[in-house]
């Protein structure tokens, strides 16, 4: 039996949310395989890769904490779109970072946007399902 239009849109929304979750998770882990190339290209020390991971994770935790006090005032889909835009811009800025300090700053901004993204993804999915 074919799915009703309502079910189809729910499925496509859940698929879109899963795609966003995949991109955020991939972004969190992509730095480690690229580490030796980044260190050689930017000219940083080898231990800076650990700092890049820590900066991203800690700023994601801080972003989630800050967002828990603020995001309930806004529509979830608009908040998700805003966080996704900030996350995307910070990731593009990370690709263009000229040095290690700029790379750490852009990764911190990407992490700060990624933290609330996870909570918003789960909230929207639970609303729909």
């Amino acid at each position: 039996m074919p799915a009703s239009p309502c079910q189809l849109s729910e499925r496509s929304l859940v698929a879109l949310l899963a795609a966003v979750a995949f991109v955020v998770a991939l972004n969190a882990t992509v730095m480690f395989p690229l580490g030796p190339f980044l260190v050689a290209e930017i000219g940083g020390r080898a231990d800076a890769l650990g700092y890049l991971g820590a900066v991203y994770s800690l700023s994601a935790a801080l972003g989630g904490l800050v967002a828990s006090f603020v995001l309930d005032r806004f529509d979830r889909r608009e908040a998700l779109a805003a966080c996704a835009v900030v996350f995307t811009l910070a990731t593009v800025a990370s690709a263009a970072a000229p040095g290690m300090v700029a790379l750490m700053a852009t990764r911190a901004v990407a992490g700060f946007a990624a933290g609330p993204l996870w909570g918003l993804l789960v909230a929207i999915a639970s609303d729909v399902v």
Side-chain angles (χ1 to χ4, degrees):
M1 177 186 289
S4 70
C6 183
Q7 288 175 337
L8 188 61
S9 66
E10 289 173 356
R11 288 182 182 177
S12 62
L13 178 63
V14 170
L16 177 66
L17 294 175
V20 172
F22 176 75
V23 168
V24 173
L26 184 64
N27 188 16
T29 59
V30 75
M31 296 301 287
F32 298 109
L34 296 175
F37 303 109
L38 284 173
V39 169
E41 184 70 27
I42 294 178
R45 299 187 335 232
D47 63 345
L49 182 62
Y51 292 127
L52 285 172
V55 160
Y56 184 87
S57 299
L58 290 174
S59 64
L62 181 64
L65 183 65
V66 168
S68 68
F69 294 107
V70 177
L71 286 182
D72 284 339
R73 299 177 188 149
F74 302 102
D75 181 54
R76 287 183 177 158
R77 292 182 186 187
E78 292 175 2
L80 179 78
C83 287
V85 166
V86 171
F87 176 78
T88 303
L89 292 175
T91 301
V92 169
S94 294
M100 191 58 72
V101 174
L103 182 59
M104 281 199 190
T106 57
R107 294 297 292 167
V109 173
F112 196 81
L117 269 175
W118 283 110
L120 287 166
L121 289 171
V122 171
I124 292 172
S126 64
D127 284 348
V128 171
V129 175

PDB file of all heavy atoms in Angstrom, residues 12-43:
ATOM      1  N   SER A  12      10.762  11.914   4.737  1.00  0.00           N
ATOM      2  CA  SER A  12      11.779  12.757   4.110  1.00  0.00           C
ATOM      3  C   SER A  12      12.405  13.706   5.133  1.00  0.00           C
ATOM      4  O   SER A  12      13.603  13.985   5.062  1.00  0.00           O
ATOM      5  CB  SER A  12      11.200  13.529   2.926  1.00  0.00           C
ATOM      6  OG  SER A  12      10.168  14.390   3.356  1.00  0.00           O
ATOM      7  N   LEU A  13      11.619  14.189   6.093  1.00  0.00           N
ATOM      8  CA  LEU A  13      12.175  15.043   7.140  1.00  0.00           C
ATOM      9  C   LEU A  13      13.140  14.262   8.016  1.00  0.00           C
ATOM     10  O   LEU A  13      14.229  14.754   8.339  1.00  0.00           O
ATOM     11  CB  LEU A  13      11.061  15.654   7.995  1.00  0.00           C
ATOM     12  CG  LEU A  13      11.534  16.535   9.148  1.00  0.00           C
ATOM     13  CD1 LEU A  13      12.290  17.752   8.627  1.00  0.00           C
ATOM     14  CD2 LEU A  13      10.375  16.951  10.015  1.00  0.00           C
ATOM     15  N   VAL A  14      12.780  13.051   8.387  1.00  0.00           N
ATOM     16  CA  VAL A  14      13.673  12.225   9.202  1.00  0.00           C
ATOM     17  C   VAL A  14      14.944  11.894   8.416  1.00  0.00           C
ATOM     18  O   VAL A  14      16.047  11.900   8.979  1.00  0.00           O
ATOM     19  CB  VAL A  14      12.947  10.957   9.694  1.00  0.00           C
ATOM     20  CG1 VAL A  14      13.914   9.987  10.336  1.00  0.00           C
ATOM     21  CG2 VAL A  14      11.853  11.339  10.681  1.00  0.00           C
ATOM     22  N   ALA A  15      14.809  11.651   7.120  1.00  0.00           N
ATOM     23  CA  ALA A  15      15.994  11.402   6.292  1.00  0.00           C
ATOM     24  C   ALA A  15      16.883  12.643   6.222  1.00  0.00           C
ATOM     25  O   ALA A  15      18.116  12.535   6.285  1.00  0.00           O
ATOM     26  CB  ALA A  15      15.567  10.971   4.894  1.00  0.00           C
ATOM     27  N   LEU A  16      16.279  13.814   6.117  1.00  0.00           N
ATOM     28  CA  LEU A  16      17.050  15.053   6.105  1.00  0.00           C
ATOM     29  C   LEU A  16      17.764  15.269   7.436  1.00  0.00           C
ATOM     30  O   LEU A  16      18.942  15.642   7.473  1.00  0.00           O
ATOM     31  CB  LEU A  16      16.140  16.242   5.794  1.00  0.00           C
ATOM     32  CG  LEU A  16      16.804  17.616   5.819  1.00  0.00           C
ATOM     33  CD1 LEU A  16      17.824  17.733   4.689  1.00  0.00           C
ATOM     34  CD2 LEU A  16      15.769  18.703   5.716  1.00  0.00           C
ATOM     35  N   LEU A  17      17.072  15.011   8.527  1.00  0.00           N
ATOM     36  CA  LEU A  17      17.695  15.141   9.851  1.00  0.00           C
ATOM     37  C   LEU A  17      18.839  14.149  10.014  1.00  0.00           C
ATOM     38  O   LEU A  17      19.876  14.478  10.601  1.00  0.00           O
ATOM     39  CB  LEU A  17      16.648  14.953  10.947  1.00  0.00           C
ATOM     40  CG  LEU A  17      15.563  16.027  11.036  1.00  0.00           C
ATOM     41  CD1 LEU A  17      14.533  15.645  12.095  1.00  0.00           C
ATOM     42  CD2 LEU A  17      16.151  17.386  11.306  1.00  0.00           C
ATOM     43  N   ALA A  18      18.660  12.942   9.503  1.00  0.00           N
ATOM     44  CA  ALA A  18      19.737  11.945   9.570  1.00  0.00           C
ATOM     45  C   ALA A  18      20.937  12.388   8.742  1.00  0.00           C
ATOM     46  O   ALA A  18      22.089  12.188   9.152  1.00  0.00           O
ATOM     47  CB  ALA A  18      19.226  10.594   9.088  1.00  0.00           C
ATOM     48  N   ALA A  19      20.695  13.010   7.603  1.00  0.00           N
ATOM     49  CA  ALA A  19      21.793  13.510   6.776  1.00  0.00           C
ATOM     50  C   ALA A  19      22.551  14.627   7.486  1.00  0.00           C
ATOM     51  O   ALA A  19      23.788  14.671   7.455  1.00  0.00           O
ATOM     52  CB  ALA A  19      21.264  13.993   5.428  1.00  0.00           C
ATOM     53  N   VAL A  20      21.823  15.518   8.143  1.00  0.00           N
ATOM     54  CA  VAL A  20      22.478  16.589   8.905  1.00  0.00           C
ATOM     55  C   VAL A  20      23.300  16.001  10.049  1.00  0.00           C
ATOM     56  O   VAL A  20      24.439  16.411  10.292  1.00  0.00           O
ATOM     57  CB  VAL A  20      21.440  17.606   9.428  1.00  0.00           C
ATOM     58  CG1 VAL A  20      22.079  18.605  10.382  1.00  0.00           C
ATOM     59  CG2 VAL A  20      20.790  18.338   8.277  1.00  0.00           C
ATOM     60  N   ALA A  21      22.747  15.019  10.745  1.00  0.00           N
ATOM     61  CA  ALA A  21      23.481  14.371  11.836  1.00  0.00           C
ATOM     62  C   ALA A  21      24.740  13.695  11.318  1.00  0.00           C
ATOM     63  O   ALA A  21      25.801  13.745  11.961  1.00  0.00           O
ATOM     64  CB  ALA A  21      22.579  13.362  12.541  1.00  0.00           C
ATOM     65  N   PHE A  22      24.653  13.074  10.153  1.00  0.00           N
ATOM     66  CA  PHE A  22      25.831  12.431   9.565  1.00  0.00           C
ATOM     67  C   PHE A  22      26.916  13.449   9.242  1.00  0.00           C
ATOM     68  O   PHE A  22      28.090  13.233   9.527  1.00  0.00           O
ATOM     69  CB  PHE A  22      25.429  11.657   8.309  1.00  0.00           C
ATOM     70  CG  PHE A  22      26.592  11.037   7.592  1.00  0.00           C
ATOM     71  CD1 PHE A  22      27.202   9.897   8.097  1.00  0.00           C
ATOM     72  CD2 PHE A  22      27.083  11.610   6.431  1.00  0.00           C
ATOM     73  CE1 PHE A  22      28.282   9.337   7.443  1.00  0.00           C
ATOM     74  CE2 PHE A  22      28.162  11.046   5.774  1.00  0.00           C
ATOM     75  CZ  PHE A  22      28.768   9.906   6.277  1.00  0.00           C
ATOM     76  N   VAL A  23      26.524  14.588   8.673  1.00  0.00           N
ATOM     77  CA  VAL A  23      27.503  15.622   8.318  1.00  0.00           C
ATOM     78  C   VAL A  23      28.169  16.193   9.571  1.00  0.00           C
ATOM     79  O   VAL A  23      29.385  16.400   9.601  1.00  0.00           O
ATOM     80  CB  VAL A  23      26.832  16.733   7.483  1.00  0.00           C
ATOM     81  CG1 VAL A  23      27.731  17.946   7.337  1.00  0.00           C
ATOM     82  CG2 VAL A  23      26.439  16.188   6.128  1.00  0.00           C
ATOM     83  N   VAL A  24      27.391  16.409  10.619  1.00  0.00           N
ATOM     84  CA  VAL A  24      27.961  16.951  11.857  1.00  0.00           C
ATOM     85  C   VAL A  24      28.920  15.942  12.484  1.00  0.00           C
ATOM     86  O   VAL A  24      30.012  16.302  12.935  1.00  0.00           O
ATOM     87  CB  VAL A  24      26.843  17.354  12.843  1.00  0.00           C
ATOM     88  CG1 VAL A  24      27.417  17.743  14.185  1.00  0.00           C
ATOM     89  CG2 VAL A  24      26.035  18.503  12.272  1.00  0.00           C
ATOM     90  N   ALA A  25      28.533  14.666  12.498  1.00  0.00           N
ATOM     91  CA  ALA A  25      29.416  13.640  13.056  1.00  0.00           C
ATOM     92  C   ALA A  25      30.678  13.483  12.217  1.00  0.00           C
ATOM     93  O   ALA A  25      31.781  13.304  12.754  1.00  0.00           O
ATOM     94  CB  ALA A  25      28.666  12.315  13.154  1.00  0.00           C
ATOM     95  N   LEU A  26      30.537  13.548  10.923  1.00  0.00           N
ATOM     96  CA  LEU A  26      31.693  13.446  10.043  1.00  0.00           C
ATOM     97  C   LEU A  26      32.634  14.623  10.242  1.00  0.00           C
ATOM     98  O   LEU A  26      33.858  14.458  10.263  1.00  0.00           O
ATOM     99  CB  LEU A  26      31.232  13.377   8.590  1.00  0.00           C
ATOM    100  CG  LEU A  26      32.308  13.167   7.543  1.00  0.00           C
ATOM    101  CD1 LEU A  26      32.965  11.803   7.731  1.00  0.00           C
ATOM    102  CD2 LEU A  26      31.712  13.270   6.156  1.00  0.00           C
ATOM    103  N   ASN A  27      32.081  15.802  10.415  1.00  0.00           N
ATOM    104  CA  ASN A  27      32.898  16.991  10.629  1.00  0.00           C
ATOM    105  C   ASN A  27      33.685  16.891  11.934  1.00  0.00           C
ATOM    106  O   ASN A  27      34.805  17.374  12.022  1.00  0.00           O
ATOM    107  CB  ASN A  27      32.022  18.237  10.625  1.00  0.00           C
ATOM    108  CG  ASN A  27      32.829  19.510  10.647  1.00  0.00           C
ATOM    109  OD1 ASN A  27      34.019  19.516  10.375  1.00  0.00           O
ATOM    110  ND2 ASN A  27      32.180  20.596  10.964  1.00  0.00           N
ATOM    111  N   ALA A  28      33.082  16.271  12.922  1.00  0.00           N
ATOM    112  CA  ALA A  28      33.768  16.145  14.212  1.00  0.00           C
ATOM    113  C   ALA A  28      34.979  15.227  14.119  1.00  0.00           C
ATOM    114  O   ALA A  28      35.954  15.405  14.850  1.00  0.00           O
ATOM    115  CB  ALA A  28      32.797  15.632  15.271  1.00  0.00           C
ATOM    116  N   THR A  29      34.932  14.257  13.225  1.00  0.00           N
ATOM    117  CA  THR A  29      36.013  13.271  13.160  1.00  0.00           C
ATOM    118  C   THR A  29      36.953  13.442  11.979  1.00  0.00           C
ATOM    119  O   THR A  29      37.970  12.761  11.909  1.00  0.00           O
ATOM    120  CB  THR A  29      35.421  11.852  13.100  1.00  0.00           C
ATOM    121  OG1 THR A  29      34.576  11.749  11.949  1.00  0.00           O
ATOM    122  CG2 THR A  29      34.630  11.533  14.336  1.00  0.00           C
ATOM    123  N   VAL A  30      36.649  14.339  11.060  1.00  0.00           N
ATOM    124  CA  VAL A  30      37.441  14.456   9.839  1.00  0.00           C
ATOM    125  C   VAL A  30      38.839  15.019  10.102  1.00  0.00           C
ATOM    126  O   VAL A  30      39.760  14.802   9.325  1.00  0.00           O
ATOM    127  CB  VAL A  30      36.697  15.291   8.772  1.00  0.00           C
ATOM    128  CG1 VAL A  30      36.720  16.758   9.107  1.00  0.00           C
ATOM    129  CG2 VAL A  30      37.262  15.039   7.402  1.00  0.00           C
ATOM    130  N   MET A  31      39.020  15.720  11.196  1.00  0.00           N
ATOM    131  CA  MET A  31      40.312  16.339  11.472  1.00  0.00           C
ATOM    132  C   MET A  31      41.406  15.314  11.761  1.00  0.00           C
ATOM    133  O   MET A  31      42.566  15.537  11.434  1.00  0.00           O
ATOM    134  CB  MET A  31      40.199  17.289  12.668  1.00  0.00           C
ATOM    135  CG  MET A  31      39.281  18.463  12.447  1.00  0.00           C
ATOM    136  SD  MET A  31      39.754  19.487  11.067  1.00  0.00           S
ATOM    137  CE  MET A  31      41.165  20.285  11.719  1.00  0.00           C
ATOM    138  N   PHE A  32      41.042  14.200  12.362  1.00  0.00           N
ATOM    139  CA  PHE A  32      42.070  13.259  12.796  1.00  0.00           C
ATOM    140  C   PHE A  32      42.748  12.517  11.647  1.00  0.00           C
ATOM    141  O   PHE A  32      43.981  12.409  11.644  1.00  0.00           O
ATOM    142  CB  PHE A  32      41.488  12.318  13.847  1.00  0.00           C
ATOM    143  CG  PHE A  32      41.054  13.074  15.069  1.00  0.00           C
ATOM    144  CD1 PHE A  32      39.723  13.243  15.361  1.00  0.00           C
ATOM    145  CD2 PHE A  32      41.991  13.658  15.896  1.00  0.00           C
ATOM    146  CE1 PHE A  32      39.331  13.961  16.467  1.00  0.00           C
ATOM    147  CE2 PHE A  32      41.613  14.389  17.007  1.00  0.00           C
ATOM    148  CZ  PHE A  32      40.275  14.536  17.297  1.00  0.00           C
ATOM    149  N   PRO A  33      42.040  12.030  10.633  1.00  0.00           N
ATOM    150  CA  PRO A  33      42.766  11.434   9.509  1.00  0.00           C
ATOM    151  C   PRO A  33      43.574  12.456   8.702  1.00  0.00           C
ATOM    152  O   PRO A  33      44.576  12.112   8.088  1.00  0.00           O
ATOM    153  CB  PRO A  33      41.668  10.825   8.632  1.00  0.00           C
ATOM    154  CG  PRO A  33      40.461  10.754   9.469  1.00  0.00           C
ATOM    155  CD  PRO A  33      40.606  11.785  10.522  1.00  0.00           C
ATOM    156  N   LEU A  34      43.113  13.703   8.707  1.00  0.00           N
ATOM    157  CA  LEU A  34      43.820  14.747   7.977  1.00  0.00           C
ATOM    158  C   LEU A  34      44.945  15.377   8.785  1.00  0.00           C
ATOM    159  O   LEU A  34      45.662  16.246   8.276  1.00  0.00           O
ATOM    160  CB  LEU A  34      42.836  15.844   7.560  1.00  0.00           C
ATOM    161  CG  LEU A  34      41.741  15.442   6.586  1.00  0.00           C
ATOM    162  CD1 LEU A  34      40.779  16.607   6.385  1.00  0.00           C
ATOM    163  CD2 LEU A  34      42.326  15.002   5.276  1.00  0.00           C
ATOM    164  N   GLY A  35      45.099  14.961  10.027  1.00  0.00           N
ATOM    165  CA  GLY A  35      46.047  15.582  10.945  1.00  0.00           C
ATOM    166  C   GLY A  35      47.456  15.751  10.425  1.00  0.00           C
ATOM    167  O   GLY A  35      48.001  16.863  10.456  1.00  0.00           O
ATOM    168  N   PRO A  36      48.102  14.684   9.944  1.00  0.00           N
ATOM    169  CA  PRO A  36      49.480  14.856   9.466  1.00  0.00           C
ATOM    170  C   PRO A  36      49.597  15.855   8.309  1.00  0.00           C
ATOM    171  O   PRO A  36      50.555  16.616   8.230  1.00  0.00           O
ATOM    172  CB  PRO A  36      49.878  13.449   9.006  1.00  0.00           C
ATOM    173  CG  PRO A  36      48.976  12.532   9.754  1.00  0.00           C
ATOM    174  CD  PRO A  36      47.697  13.284   9.959  1.00  0.00           C
ATOM    175  N   PHE A  37      48.608  15.873   7.427  1.00  0.00           N
ATOM    176  CA  PHE A  37      48.632  16.814   6.304  1.00  0.00           C
ATOM    177  C   PHE A  37      48.419  18.241   6.786  1.00  0.00           C
ATOM    178  O   PHE A  37      49.052  19.171   6.287  1.00  0.00           O
ATOM    179  CB  PHE A  37      47.564  16.440   5.281  1.00  0.00           C
ATOM    180  CG  PHE A  37      47.696  15.041   4.767  1.00  0.00           C
ATOM    181  CD1 PHE A  37      46.789  14.078   5.137  1.00  0.00           C
ATOM    182  CD2 PHE A  37      48.748  14.684   3.940  1.00  0.00           C
ATOM    183  CE1 PHE A  37      46.911  12.779   4.681  1.00  0.00           C
ATOM    184  CE2 PHE A  37      48.881  13.394   3.466  1.00  0.00           C
ATOM    185  CZ  PHE A  37      47.956  12.436   3.843  1.00  0.00           C
ATOM    186  N   LEU A  38      47.504  18.413   7.761  1.00  0.00           N
ATOM    187  CA  LEU A  38      47.260  19.748   8.300  1.00  0.00           C
ATOM    188  C   LEU A  38      48.488  20.305   8.998  1.00  0.00           C
ATOM    189  O   LEU A  38      48.845  21.465   8.820  1.00  0.00           O
ATOM    190  CB  LEU A  38      46.091  19.713   9.286  1.00  0.00           C
ATOM    191  CG  LEU A  38      44.707  19.625   8.692  1.00  0.00           C
ATOM    192  CD1 LEU A  38      43.686  19.418   9.794  1.00  0.00           C
ATOM    193  CD2 LEU A  38      44.391  20.877   7.926  1.00  0.00           C
ATOM    194  N   VAL A  39      49.119  19.472   9.810  1.00  0.00           N
ATOM    195  CA  VAL A  39      50.293  19.921  10.555  1.00  0.00           C
ATOM    196  C   VAL A  39      51.406  20.311   9.587  1.00  0.00           C
ATOM    197  O   VAL A  39      52.063  21.334   9.766  1.00  0.00           O
ATOM    198  CB  VAL A  39      50.749  18.826  11.545  1.00  0.00           C
ATOM    199  CG1 VAL A  39      52.102  19.150  12.141  1.00  0.00           C
ATOM    200  CG2 VAL A  39      49.714  18.647  12.632  1.00  0.00           C
ATOM    201  N   ALA A  40      51.576  19.522   8.529  1.00  0.00           N
ATOM    202  CA  ALA A  40      52.626  19.834   7.555  1.00  0.00           C
ATOM    203  C   ALA A  40      52.291  21.092   6.750  1.00  0.00           C
ATOM    204  O   ALA A  40      53.167  21.914   6.469  1.00  0.00           O
ATOM    205  CB  ALA A  40      52.823  18.650   6.613  1.00  0.00           C
ATOM    206  N   GLU A  41      51.023  21.256   6.391  1.00  0.00           N
ATOM    207  CA  GLU A  41      50.619  22.397   5.559  1.00  0.00           C
ATOM    208  C   GLU A  41      50.631  23.716   6.331  1.00  0.00           C
ATOM    209  O   GLU A  41      51.093  24.728   5.832  1.00  0.00           O
ATOM    210  CB  GLU A  41      49.226  22.138   4.990  1.00  0.00           C
ATOM    211  CG  GLU A  41      48.741  23.186   4.044  1.00  0.00           C
ATOM    212  CD  GLU A  41      49.470  23.202   2.715  1.00  0.00           C
ATOM    213  OE1 GLU A  41      49.975  22.152   2.297  1.00  0.00           O
ATOM    214  OE2 GLU A  41      49.541  24.283   2.106  1.00  0.00           O
ATOM    215  N   ILE A  42      50.093  23.681   7.540  1.00  0.00           N
ATOM    216  CA  ILE A  42      49.972  24.917   8.313  1.00  0.00           C
ATOM    217  C   ILE A  42      51.251  25.230   9.068  1.00  0.00           C
ATOM    218  O   ILE A  42      51.525  26.375   9.395  1.00  0.00           O
ATOM    219  CB  ILE A  42      48.758  24.828   9.264  1.00  0.00           C
ATOM    220  CG1 ILE A  42      47.489  24.784   8.428  1.00  0.00           C
ATOM    221  CG2 ILE A  42      48.705  25.990  10.230  1.00  0.00           C
ATOM    222  CD1 ILE A  42      46.232  24.651   9.229  1.00  0.00           C
ATOM    223  N   GLY A  43      52.026  24.220   9.354  1.00  0.00           N
ATOM    224  CA  GLY A  43      53.274  24.441  10.044  1.00  0.00           C
ATOM    225  C   GLY A  43      53.150  24.408  11.552  1.00  0.00           C
ATOM    226  O   GLY A  43      53.976  24.964  12.255  1.00  0.00           O
TER     227      GLY A  43
END
